[in-house]
Amino acid sequence: QVQPVESGGGLVQAGGSLRLSCTASERRFSVFSTGWFRQSPGKEREFVAGISGRGGSEYYGDSVKGRFTISRDNAKNTVYLQMNSLKSEDTAVYFCAADASWNIATMTAPRVWRYWGQGTQVTVSS
């Protein structure tokens, strides 16, 4: 069992930056693959970025490539999502997900991620 907890959401102006954090009390979280998803009202949950358990591999959704960076500090049991050049369309609830597996072919699908956080709201004003 792993329980991710997100933090760092808030209100930011378009063009600004924000950093989200995802942590868990369980030590095994540091070897789990971790992903970020987002969901806005009326839309499906969208894959944003993923990082392998030891941080050697990263993968990004097309809509955030070049603007967002995922990273992890296993000493702090924390995964970060640095979001730069934010746009109004980035407004959503951002969720952290964790799973023992790492598969680029399927990782964009929410159903393959076993553990989920409660989400943190990011609002980008134009």
Side-chain angles (χ1 to χ4, degrees), residues 37-55:
F37 287 77
R38 66 186 182 186
Q39 189 168 21
S40 51
K43 294 188 177 181
E44 294 185 351
R45 193 163 292 192
E46 177 191 15
F47 174 80
V48 175
I51 189 167
S52 59
R54 304 197 184 278

Side-chain angles (χ1 to χ4, degrees), residues 90-109:
D90 294 318
T91 295
V93 177
Y94 282 71
F95 297 91
C96 178
D99 196 82
S101 65
W102 173 260
N103 187 334
I104 290 179
T106 59
M107 68 187 303
T108 61

Side-chain angles (χ1 to χ4, degrees), residues 74-116:
N74 283 341
K76 295 182 178 180
N77 226 31
T78 301
V79 172
Y80 303 100
L81 183 68
Q82 178 66 43
M83 304 185 295
N84 299 328
S85 302
L86 283 161
K87 307 174 182 179
S88 57
E89 50 263 46
D90 294 318
T91 295
V93 177
Y94 282 71
F95 297 91
C96 178
D99 196 82
S101 65
W102 173 260
N103 187 334
I104 290 179
T106 59
M107 68 187 303
T108 61
R111 61 178 171 79
V112 306
W113 296 84
R114 183 170 184 180
Y115 304 105
W116 289 86

